[in-house]
Amino acid sequence: MANILAIDDSGLMQAFWVRILSRSQHNVITVSSGNEMRSVLATMSPQLIFLDLSFPGENGFELLQHIRRYQHCLEIPVIAVSGYAGEDTRQACREAGFTDFLAKPFSLAELRGMLARYLEHATNPRALAR
């Protein structure tokens, strides 16, 4: 069982993350803003983070910078989640330091594959993204 943080401003997506990831016996925390994210990360060290790219105010790229400022979050895999799945977006995510990219809509098989890849290899997640 892993602690997973899902950062998304959509209530529907938050409910989805809780429903699907809880079925796999993971502890899921959802937040809808950068302020909530910073509050959670001040007290928690998740094993995996799913981060939507589109937010009012701060975007996912800015939130990733905040995540990496926490010493305990330097090696946590952070998966960008977006409906904008073009190569430009994917390249921007790689350059920004996201560990991987999950395009909406995604299948349960894709999600399960990411969970297996990043939770099994949590000691060196960046090596897998290359």
Side-chain angles (χ1 to χ4, degrees), residues 2 9 15 24 26-29 40-42 45 52 55 57 59 91 93 97-98 100 110-111 121 128:
D9 63 327
S24 299
H26 296 298
N27 178 37
V28 184
I29 296 173
V40 167
L41 290 178
S45 183
D52 187 43
F55 281 89
N59 64 39
Q91 181 63 32
C93 288
F98 281 94
D100 210 333
E110 289 174 292
L111 179 58
H121 304 287
L128 296 171

Side-chain angles (χ1 to χ4, degrees), residues 5-8 31 33-34 36-42 44-53 55 58-80 96-99 126:
L5 177 61
I7 307 163
D8 199 305
V31 298
S33 70
E36 288 179 49
M37 176 201 75
R38 285 184 279 279
S39 178
V40 167
L41 290 178
M44 174 196 179
S45 183
Q47 282 78 44
L48 182 61
I49 298 173
F50 289 99
L51 174 56
D52 187 43
L53 293 181
F55 281 89
E58 297 173 293
N59 64 39
F61 295 98
E62 293 166 318
L63 294 179
L64 177 64
Q65 291 175 357
H66 288 287
I67 291 168
R68 295 303 186 211
R69 288 183 186 139
Y70 291 93
Q71 186 67 31
H72 67 280
C73 293
L74 291 175
E75 295 300 320
I76 295 171
V78 180
I79 310 302
F98 281 94
T99 308
R126 292 188 195 273

